[in-house]
Amino acid sequence: MKFLYSIFLLLSSIAFSQNKTIVPTTGTIVFVKEENIFDKDLYIKSFKELMPKMKEKMKEEIYLERLIDGKKTDTLLLNSEVEKMVQNFEMMLPFIIEEPSQKIKIHHEFNLDTITKYYSIDGEINNLIYINRISNEAKNENNEYVEIEKNEIIKLTEYKNETKLINGFKCFKVVYSFKSLDNSFDFTNSSLNIRELWVTEEIICNYHPVINEIEILEKYYPLEILEYSDEIKGIITSYKIETLKLN
């Protein structure tokens, strides 16, 4: 009887520890980002359909950059330069997509009031950022302020009946569409991106290696992400956990 009672206490303790809500102050979480082109023909076709918008955006960016530098711009020459760049890109695109996709790791290291965020490729650290959790300010390694990318959520749907376990955390599915608020990465205001998330309510934190939308992080914490676009078709980007050690 004592043996059975001891087993019961042990199982209860394990269950409690798995269901306990975590508000991380120390530890590490690492996501691995992978891009999978599952339909090469559709991918190339959608890119080519996007080329006219890309051309106009490139012209606008180059013109503004030269204007800021006080340089005059020959419109005909600019059109010719952009046309050549786009043609070269179109020629290289079939070869680019044949190259193996790089595994990019996105790290968040928690140390009380500071989060260190960085990307790594083959062990090389890039884009080191320090986030102050009290002031909500982010600085790079040169102590310069940086803006955290923000998106506008267009529609969000919860699927609480669809569940699964990820790293021992109970998760359910959330799907949302969004537009980037950074116009330098968007060729058209009508472009939508879609993310399918598996989220848990057992981790409470307003900072995430991939997701920056506070409307999401105030409610739950994504542990798996699939992302795709309504314009660039034939490709899907996944973010999956490699390391999750939070205290």
Side-chain angles (χ1 to χ4, degrees):
M1 181 65 72
K2 287 184 179 179
F3 174 75
L4 292 176
Y5 183 64
S6 298
I7 293 295
F8 172 76
L9 288 178
L10 176 62
L11 292 175
S12 299
S13 174
I14 292 173
F16 176 76
S17 64
Q18 288 180 336
N19 293 326
K20 183 174 63 177
T21 299
I22 295 176
V23 181
T25 55
T26 60
T28 301
I29 182 168
V30 181
F31 280 83
V32 177
K33 174 184 178 181
E34 288 190 80
E35 292 184 340
N36 174 34
I37 300 175
F38 58 87
D39 190 326
K40 294 177 182 178
D41 292 336
L42 181 60
Y43 180 72
I44 292 173
K45 179 176 179 291
S46 63
F47 239 116
K48 287 183 176 180
E49 290 174 350
L50 195 59
M51 288 301 178
K53 296 174 184 175
M54 289 179 64
K55 288 182 193 177
E56 292 307 312
K57 191 64 178 180
M58 288 171 68
K59 290 177 190 176
E60 179 185 325
E61 292 292 328
I62 294 171
Y63 180 83
L64 288 175
E65 184 179 329
R66 291 179 179 175
L67 185 65
I68 292 170
D69 291 339
K71 298 176 182 178
K72 292 184 179 180
T73 302
D74 185 317
T75 305
L76 292 177
L77 183 59
L78 176 60
N79 290 341
S80 177
E81 289 175 354
V82 170
E83 192 66 42
K84 287 180 182 178
M85 285 190 283
V86 171
Q87 286 176 358
N88 289 336
F89 179 76
E90 284 186 349
M91 290 173 58
M92 292 298 297
L93 188 57
F95 302 100
I96 293 172
I97 65 175
E98 293 297 333
E99 295 180 359
S101 175
Q102 289 183 313
K103 288 186 179 181
I104 300 173
K105 297 182 181 181
I106 311 169
H107 305 248
H108 259 200
E109 295 180 356
F110 292 80
N111 185 12
L112 302 179
D113 295 333
T114 302
I115 298 173
T116 303
K117 178 178 181 178
Y118 59 92
Y119 298 80
S120 66
I121 304 174
D122 297 328
E124 182 178 345
I125 294 176
N126 298 276
N127 298 337
L128 196 61
I129 294 174
Y130 302 98
I131 302 170
N132 187 310
R133 300 177 72 175
I134 297 176
S135 65
N136 197 33
E137 293 175 337
K139 293 184 178 181
N140 60 22
E141 52 192 323
N142 297 319
N143 204 35
E144 300 167 329
Y145 289 102
V146 295
E147 288 289 333
I148 296 175
E149 178 188 359
K150 291 183 173 60
N151 300 309
E152 178 190 0
I153 295 179
I154 306 303
K155 182 182 178 181
L156 185 147
T157 307
E158 296 178 347
Y159 298 89
K160 290 194 173 183
N161 60 323
E162 296 186 40
T163 62
K164 68 176 179 178
L165 278 177
I166 300 177
N167 283 63
F169 291 95
K170 294 183 293 185
C171 297
F172 62 90
K173 188 175 181 180
V174 171
V175 178
Y176 75 101
S177 58
F178 67 95
K179 291 194 293 186
S180 172
L181 295 178
D182 186 345
N183 291 328
S184 63
F185 294 99
D186 193 7
F187 301 116
T188 171
N189 291 332
S190 62
S191 177
L192 278 182
N193 296 298
I194 297 92
R195 281 180 177 154
E196 297 181 7
L197 313 178
W198 287 96
V199 304
T200 182
E201 296 175 316
E202 296 172 4
I203 299 176
I204 299 174
C205 184
N206 287 344
Y207 301 91
H208 189 278
V210 181
I211 305 297
N212 295 323
E213 290 78 14
I214 193 65
E215 303 98 311
I216 289 173
L217 299 178
E218 285 180 337
K219 297 172 67 177
Y220 23 67
Y221 200 82
L223 294 182
E224 192 170 298
I225 303 159
L226 290 179
E227 182 177 332
Y228 46 93
S229 169
D230 67 343
E231 286 200 317
I232 304 297
K233 300 179 176 65
I235 183 172
I236 192 164
T237 303
S238 68
Y239 301 85
K240 295 185 178 180
I241 285 180
E242 180 184 76
T243 303
L244 179 59
K245 297 177 181 178
L246 301 176
N247 299 297

